[in-house]
C-alpha cells in the first residue's frame, strides 16, 4: 500500500479536522469557480477558446496548451502553499487543496468544452469531477461499484441521476485532501528546509495535474455541439 492510500485511510474520518470545511460541498464550489472564473483565472471555456484561436482551430493542439498552462499554474500554487514547512501546515493544507481543485477542474472543463461537451450539463460536471480522481482510482472505484461508470459514460448518460452528485463530490474531496496531506507529510517530515518543501510541492502538484490532464484528454471523447 502506497503513501497516498495509507494517508487516505487515516484522513477520511479526520478530513474536517485537517482541512475544515473541505467536504464534498467545496468540490462543487471549486468546479463552479473553475467554470465561471475566479480572480485572475478566466472562465474555463473562455480560456480554452483563446487557446483554440491561438492554435488556429486545431482542437488537439489547443488541448495540449490548456494542459500545459494549467500544469504551470498548479506548480506555482504548489510551491506557494508548500514553502512554509510544518509550522504553516494547518493553514496551507486547505489553501493547497482548494487551489489544486480549482486548477484541475478548470483544466478538465476546458478540455471537455473543446471536445464539444456542455459545461452547464450536470452530467458533464460529474464527469469532470470523476476525472480528477485519475485513471487508476476511477477503475478501482468502478470495479468496487463506488462509481457507476467511467467519467465519459457519466458525462454522456441518457439522464442525470442526482443521487450520484453527492457520491462523486465526497469521493473527490477525500482523494484530493489525502493527496495533498500525503505529499505534505512526505516532503516536510524528512525535510525541515521550507524552500525544499516548496520546490517539491511545485513538482508534485504540476505532475499530478499533468496526469489528470492526460487522462481527461484520453477519456473525454468528442461530441457534436
Amino acid at each position: 500500500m502506497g503513501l497516498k492510500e495509507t494517508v487516505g485511510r487515516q484522513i477520511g474520518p479526520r478530513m474536517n479536522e485537517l482541512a475544515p470545511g473541505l467536504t464534498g460541498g467545496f468540490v462543487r464550489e471549486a468546479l463552479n469557480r473553475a467554470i465561471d472564473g475566479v480572480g485572475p483565472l478566466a472562465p474555463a471555456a473562455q480560456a480554452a477558446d483563446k487557446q483554440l484561436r491561438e492554435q488556429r482551430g486545431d482542437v488537439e493542439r489547443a488541448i495540449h496548451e490548456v494542459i500545459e498552462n494549467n500544469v504551470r499554474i498548479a506548480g506555482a500554487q504548489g510551491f506557494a502553499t508548500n514553502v512554509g514547512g510544518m509550522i504553516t501546515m494547518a493553514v496551507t493544507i486547505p489553501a493547497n487543496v482548494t487551489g489544486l481543485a480549482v486548477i484541475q477542474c478548470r483544466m478538465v472543463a476546458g478540455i471537455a468544452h473543446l471536445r464539444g461537451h456542455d459545461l452547464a450539463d450536470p452530467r458533464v460536471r460529474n464527469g469532470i469531477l470523476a476525472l480528477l480522481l485519475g485513471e487508476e482510482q476511477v477503475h478501482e472505484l468502478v470495479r468496487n461499484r463506488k462509481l457507476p461508470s467511467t467519467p465519459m459514460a457519466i458525462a454522456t448518460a441518457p439522464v442525470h441521476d442526482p443521487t450520484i452528485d453527492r457520491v462523486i463530490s465526497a469521493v473527490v474531496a477525500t482523494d484530493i485532501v489525502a493527496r495533498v496531506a500525503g505529499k505534505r507529510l512526505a516532503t516536510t517530515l524528512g525535510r525541515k528546509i521550507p524552500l525544499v518543501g516548496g520546490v517539491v510541492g511545485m513538482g508534485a502538484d504540476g505532475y499530478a495535474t499533468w496526469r489528470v490532464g492526460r487522462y481527461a484528454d484520453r477519456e473525454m471523447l468528442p461530441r457534436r455541439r
Side-chain angles (χ1 to χ4, degrees), residues 130 138 141-142 146-154 219:
V138 165
L141 291 170
V142 171
K146 293 182 179 180
L147 279 183
S149 190
T150 63
M152 181 65 187
I154 291 171
E219 178 71 15

Side-chain angles (χ1 to χ4, degrees), residues 138-217:
V138 165
H139 288 170
E140 180 180 346
L141 291 170
V142 171
R143 185 169 59 250
N144 295 331
R145 298 183 179 180
K146 293 182 179 180
L147 279 183
S149 190
T150 63
M152 181 65 187
I154 291 171
T156 57
V159 294
H160 172 231
D161 180 4
T163 62
I164 71 172
D165 292 2
R166 187 184 304 175
V167 173
I168 291 178
S169 297
V171 170
V172 171
T174 301
D175 184 76
I176 292 177
V177 172
R179 275 188 280 147
V180 169
K183 172 193 64 183
R184 183 63 57 85
L185 288 172
T187 58
T188 58
L189 287 179
R191 298 182 175 101
K192 301 297 184 179
I193 305 173
L195 187 60
V196 172
V199 172
V200 175
M202 176 174 63
D205 285 357
Y207 178 66
T209 302
W210 177 81
R211 289 191 64 181
V212 169
R214 293 292 297 155
Y215 177 38
D217 185 15

Side-chain angles (χ1 to χ4, degrees), residues 1 24 30-31 38 47 58 62 69-70 73 88 126 135 139 145-146 162 184 188 198 201 205-206 210:
M1 182 179 295
L31 179 59
V38 57
D58 188 322
N69 288 344
N70 283 285
I73 296 171
T88 60
N126 280 337
E135 189 168 13
H139 288 170
R145 298 183 179 180
K146 293 182 179 180
R184 183 63 57 85
T188 58
D205 285 357
W210 177 81

